[in-house]
Amino acid sequence: MAEKLDTSPEEEAIKDEAREFMTGLVGSGAGDQTNDSAGAPTADGADIIKAWKSKYSAAPEDTTMEDFWSLYDPYLTSIWKMVYDEADSNENLKETIGFVEDLLAQPGMTQLKKDHDCWCVVHTLENLGIEGVWFFNGPDPSKLFAANEDTSWYTFTQLGPEAIDPVKAAVAKIMMPIEGKLNGKVVKDTKVFC
């Protein structure tokens, strides 16, 4: 049985408010950064992101989750689950895959990739939902939000920060869907931003 999404006016107002907030973050730009670097992306965090990307790019089907967890440092990096908020409005698979392609192709993404600030695995599902897992240099996805206003259409939820068993299981489930399914739904397309 498919889950019923709340499309009430109240829920839509909450989503609109969240999008407005995200637009404010995008508009804030680099001029609003403070000199306090606590929690900011670091060179060591970038090295971890680079190592993760390298391991995944080399042979994702042979990559074990232990490879990732051996590099993970909750003080330097963070892991976030992403879910598309408007899946119930999607009309076809090609269009939905296009939303993911557009998200990953936004102009601000080039610098994030170059600086090793993040990478992700994003799946388009048979029910036209979009789910992914993002790995960030730093404690949160704020640089992604600032670089890409399309992120306002998604909900990001932190996995962790501590690498306890339920967190590891949640990350593995998204990174390497078992039998081509994620949450019981067939994965129709996967995009990797490395």
Side-chain angles (χ1 to χ4, degrees):
M1 186 171 161
E3 291 180 35
K4 177 133 172 75
L5 294 174
D6 185 356
T7 58
S8 66
E10 294 83 13
E11 181 65 19
E12 292 303 314
I14 291 169
K15 288 179 182 177
D16 288 341
E17 187 176 310
R19 287 188 189 98
E20 187 175 320
F21 171 77
M22 294 303 299
T23 301
L25 285 178
V26 171
S28 66
D32 292 343
Q33 294 177 2
T34 65
N35 291 332
D36 180 11
S37 63
T42 65
D44 288 342
D47 288 343
I48 292 171
I49 297 296
K50 187 176 180 180
W52 273 343
K53 291 187 327 185
S54 176
K55 284 184 178 291
Y56 189 85
S57 297
E61 65 280 349
D62 295 331
T63 302
T64 65
M65 293 309 299
E66 290 80 26
D67 291 334
F68 288 97
W69 298 118
S70 68
L71 297 169
Y72 180 65
D73 183 335
Y75 299 103
L76 298 174
T77 57
S78 61
I79 303 171
W80 294 73
K81 177 181 176 181
M82 178 192 79
V83 177
Y84 185 57
D85 293 335
E86 302 296 330
D88 56 330
S89 301
N90 294 352
E91 296 182 6
N92 63 63
L93 182 61
K94 183 177 179 179
E95 175 186 67
T96 305
I97 292 169
F99 293 154
V100 175
E101 291 170 343
D102 290 346
L103 172 74
L104 301 178
Q106 292 296 310
M109 299 298 287
T110 304
Q111 192 64 40
L112 293 176
K113 189 179 209 179
K114 180 181 171 204
D115 293 343
H116 303 292
D117 283 325
C118 65
W119 76 279
C120 69
V121 177
V122 181
H123 305 291
T124 303
L125 308 176
E126 67 183 337
N127 69 340
L128 305 182
I130 300 169
E131 291 189 37
V133 63
W134 287 77
F135 303 86
F136 291 99
N137 173 8
D140 60 56
S142 59
K143 282 188 85 171
L144 173 66
F145 297 158
N148 188 337
E149 68 183 28
D150 280 2
T151 56
S152 67
W153 294 97
Y154 298 83
T155 296
F156 286 78
T157 309
Q158 186 171 16
L159 299 174
E162 296 304 319
I164 57 177
D165 288 342
V167 169
K168 289 180 178 183
V171 172
K173 181 173 89 171
I174 300 170
M175 279 189 65
M176 300 176 187
I178 297 173
E179 297 178 1
K181 291 185 177 181
L182 180 59
N183 299 321
K185 296 168 183 70
V186 174
V187 173
K188 295 302 233 175
D189 188 69
T190 300
K191 302 287 184 224
V192 178
F193 179 78
C194 256

